[in-house]
Amino acid sequence: MMGWLQDLRFVVRSFVHRPGFALAAGSIMALGIGATTTIFSVVDAVLLRPLPYPEPNRLIFFENRPHAFPYFAEWREDLTSVSQIGALTNTEGSVSGEGDPVHVWMARVTTDLLPMLGATPHLGRLLVDQDGQGGSAVAVLEHTFWQQHWGSDPDIVGRQIRVDGEPVVVAGVLSPGFVPPEALTATSQVDVWLSVDETNPIYGNRNSRTFAVVARIRDEVSIETAQAEVDALTASLAHEDPDAFVYEDGSLIEFPLLPLREATVFRVRDTLLMLLGAVTLMLLIACANVANLFLARGTARSGEIALRGAVGASRGRIVQQLLTESAGLTLVGGLGGIGLAYLGVGLFTRFGPGEVPRLASTTVDVRILVFTLAVSIATGLICGILPAVQATRQSVTDCLRETAVNTTAGWRRRKLRSVLVITELALTVVLLMGAGLLFRSLLERLKVDPGFRTQDLVVVPLELGESYAPEDRIEFARDLRQRIADLPGTEAVGAGWTLPFVFPPRVCCWTGSVRSLQATGDEKVPTTWIHPITPGYFK
């Protein structure tokens, strides 16, 4: 212990006496460790941490979505391998109650979904089976939305608000911290949770596919067993209704079951792992740089090391002192890396790609700090072991003789430095090639033709309050379009329910009607979203 303390005091003195070396090597290590810690924080939050739901490993997702509500009803009634099952359909609209209407993300859910995901009420209650029956809509508000737009008013429970102009009764407010399942919602934000009116004829149509489905398998059941039961049920239903369960080529519709966690992250897993590999290469390049700095410094200190050996220091003692020096330097770099990681995580979560799920939960917590400490120690050993061993391989007599005649580094040290330089260049080439390919992919994505002209387009979000009756809204839109069209320089004006590439993304039809069309009878609708528009929209 006294030897380690002596080495630490010597390291501090050496850094004080040679601040340039300590600053250069520490900065290089801080950049490498900071970048690695930032990306590992994202990988940890997105890929490694379990989903924030009770027993998340037993939650399964029904792939090949969207599903028709009758499919869900049949699974709910006949599947014995699941203990709970819920369905969700996404939508957007406006909410008004006090003040101006606000645009919100909404989800219509069956009553089992929120309890299955561990949601609890902060005020009031969750949705129950009687909610939404016969056309009376009931809603549960997200906690932050309730705070921002109702000022944490505890009397909101039981109050009537308007959602897209329709009256809705507030049943409760969710507890803070509940995270929507992004595999189902396609967004990390749901402001209003609405009940599903299962008596509505629209939900009896097998061609109206709008729902995502998640279930909890029983303790003794594997996902393979659940998959076999779903396949058997599908085959049975295909005999009763081949038009709904058999493709035109005669093949049976399949509903693969995925763990909910895999369904949430599989689109970004490879990209994040590739990014983690890139910053790991960057850290290795930093290690090679610092190791070369230590070799160069070791050349200048060869006389000092030889003198230590001449007065009785063992090879192990000298290696210990040199490794302590490199470890101390990288620990300092690790502290700087932690500061850069906090900054990097903040920037990544704020400006990162919006399609990365669970990104908002990324933090630099204790687990990340332990990872950073381990990386710092390992980096110190990697940077210091080769220079330390090289410094002690040459005999004391030869080293003192080289120092006395002012010779340069021996051939062994030159060979090691050449190997490190070659390794560094090889890693740099690989990293630059990967970065170039990623940048090229980004440019190709930016150059993708959306199918319409995007220049000189202006978008005006419009939310009309409940004071406008449906016919008044139509007249208001017509009048607004005409007034905008009369402005100098305006070529065309159009209004629509949503925009291309804006949630929800699945569009089958465009109609001039202000009401959504629904498939009836033997009609076949390819997908579910039918967007009302006005003349001039496509122009």
Side-chain angles (χ1 to χ4, degrees):
M1 181 61 68
M2 291 300 298
W4 285 108
L5 292 176
Q6 290 176 358
D7 291 340
L8 288 175
R9 286 196 295 268
F10 178 80
V11 167
V12 173
R13 290 198 303 269
S14 64
F15 288 170
V16 172
H17 293 158
R18 300 177 180 85
F21 170 81
L23 182 61
S27 300
I28 292 173
M29 296 314 304
L31 289 173
I33 294 173
T36 306
T37 303
T38 298
I39 301 304
F40 180 77
S41 299
V42 177
V43 171
D44 176 66
V46 177
L47 302 182
L48 301 183
R49 293 181 189 173
L51 295 176
Y53 309 123
E55 300 181 275
N57 293 332
R58 295 201 293 119
L59 294 174
I60 57 173
F61 177 78
F62 286 67
E63 190 55 275
N64 198 12
R65 69 167 184 174
H67 307 293
F69 191 83
Y71 296 174
F72 163 76
E74 286 150 353
W75 291 331
R76 180 175 58 185
E77 181 178 355
D78 297 330
L79 291 180
T80 61
S81 56
V82 302
S83 58
Q84 293 174 296
I85 187 170
L88 176 150
T89 181
N90 304 291
T91 185
E92 59 178 323
S94 63
V95 168
S96 57
E98 297 178 359
D100 296 331
V102 293
H103 181 272
V104 295
W105 299 108
M106 301 182 293
R108 296 188 180 272
V109 298
T110 58
T111 54
D112 283 344
L113 184 70
L114 291 176
M116 179 172 53
L117 299 177
T120 57
H122 176 73
L123 292 176
R125 59 173 176 82
L126 301 181
L127 302 174
V128 296
D129 292 337
Q130 293 74 26
D131 291 335
Q133 302 301 319
S136 59
V138 179
V140 173
L141 304 180
E142 193 270 335
H143 190 272
T144 302
F145 178 69
W146 164 66
Q147 288 181 320
Q148 292 176 347
H149 296 281
W150 275 277
S152 302
D153 183 2
D155 297 327
I156 188 66
V157 176
R159 187 181 302 175
Q160 187 180 88
I161 62 175
R162 288 191 173 271
V163 177
D164 288 339
E166 299 297 328
V168 175
V169 176
V170 177
V173 177
L174 288 178
S175 296
F178 177 74
V179 179
E182 293 179 78
L184 281 72
T185 61
T187 175
S188 60
Q189 176 184 357
V190 175
D191 303 308
V192 180
W193 301 82
L194 295 166
S195 58
V196 172
D197 180 8
E198 299 188 17
T199 64
N200 192 326
I202 181 179
Y203 296 126
N205 186 358
R206 293 185 185 274
N207 293 319
S208 178
R209 301 183 176 93
T210 61
F211 284 89
V213 178
V214 65
R216 181 181 298 279
I217 58 176
R218 299 185 185 278
D219 292 335
E220 67 278 4
V221 176
S222 65
I223 192 171
E224 291 78 13
T225 302
Q227 181 69 71
E229 186 180 16
V230 170
D231 294 341
L233 179 59
T234 303
S236 175
L237 294 172
H239 287 290
E240 303 173 6
D241 188 0
D243 289 340
F245 292 93
V246 179
Y247 290 116
E248 294 182 358
D249 61 1
S251 61
L252 195 67
I253 292 179
E254 296 181 349
F255 301 100
L257 301 182
L258 296 177
L260 182 59
R261 179 166 169 244
E262 180 178 345
T264 301
V265 304
F266 79 94
R267 290 184 179 86
V268 300
R269 180 193 296 113
D270 293 342
T271 301
L272 288 180
L273 292 179
M274 182 171 59
L275 191 58
L276 182 61
V279 296
T280 302
L281 287 178
M282 178 179 171
L283 180 60
L284 292 177
I285 293 172
C287 290
N289 271 289
V290 174
N292 270 322
L293 289 177
F294 272 107
L295 280 175
R297 191 184 184 203
T299 300
R301 296 175 58 191
S302 58
E304 171 197 334
I305 295 173
L307 184 59
R308 289 175 178 272
V311 297
S314 65
R315 176 176 296 181
R317 186 69 182 83
I318 295 175
V319 170
Q320 173 184 317
Q321 189 266 315
L322 295 176
L323 287 180
T324 302
E325 184 174 347
S326 63
L329 183 61
T330 53
L331 284 176
V332 173
L335 292 177
I338 291 175
L340 292 177
Y342 274 105
L343 178 62
V345 166
L347 293 175
F348 202 99
T349 54
R350 183 174 181 180
F351 301 107
E355 64 270 15
V356 178
R358 310 178 67 190
L359 186 61
S361 63
T362 305
T363 58
V364 182
D365 56 15
V366 175
R367 299 166 68 249
I368 302 301
L369 295 179
V370 172
F371 168 81
T372 305
L373 177 63
V375 168
S376 300
I377 294 175
T379 302
L381 294 177
I382 293 173
C383 293
I385 189 67
L386 291 178
V389 171
Q390 184 64 35
T392 58
R393 290 184 64 180
Q394 197 170 6
S395 68
V396 174
T397 304
D398 293 341
C399 190
L400 289 174
R401 185 181 300 113
E402 286 183 4
T403 304
V405 298
N406 197 24
T407 59
T408 59
W411 69 272
R412 290 189 180 90
R413 186 175 285 112
R414 291 197 302 271
K415 182 179 179 181
L416 179 58
R417 294 182 64 180
S418 299
V419 169
L420 288 173
V421 170
I422 292 172
T423 302
E424 180 181 352
L425 290 175
L427 292 173
T428 303
V429 169
V430 172
L431 185 60
L432 289 176
M433 289 178 61
L437 291 174
L438 287 175
F439 185 68
R440 181 179 177 182
S441 299
L442 176 62
L443 292 179
E444 293 298 325
R445 288 190 62 181
L446 294 177
K447 292 191 298 183
V448 171
D449 185 5
F452 56 89
R453 183 171 57 89
T454 59
Q455 292 79 13
D456 303 323
L457 295 182
V458 178
V459 177
V460 181
L462 184 63
E463 299 289 350
L464 298 180
E466 59 185 87
S467 57
Y468 286 86
E471 58 274 11
D472 296 332
R473 298 183 183 206
I474 299 173
E475 188 61 33
F476 179 89
R478 289 172 179 169
D479 180 63
L480 181 62
R481 287 176 51 239
Q482 185 59 49
R483 294 175 65 181
I484 295 177
D486 292 340
L487 295 175
T490 302
E491 295 183 2
V493 182
W497 179 62
T498 188
L499 297 172
F501 304 115
V502 177
F503 173 88
R506 299 178 298 277
V507 180
C508 83
C509 313
W510 304 83
T511 174
S513 171
V514 296
R515 299 176 60 188
S516 295
L517 301 179
Q518 303 298 338
T520 58
D522 295 330
E523 294 181 7
K524 294 297 182 71
V525 180
T527 53
T528 58
W529 299 107
I530 304 174
H531 291 193
I533 58 174
T534 63
Y537 185 89
F538 287 118
K539 184 178 179 181

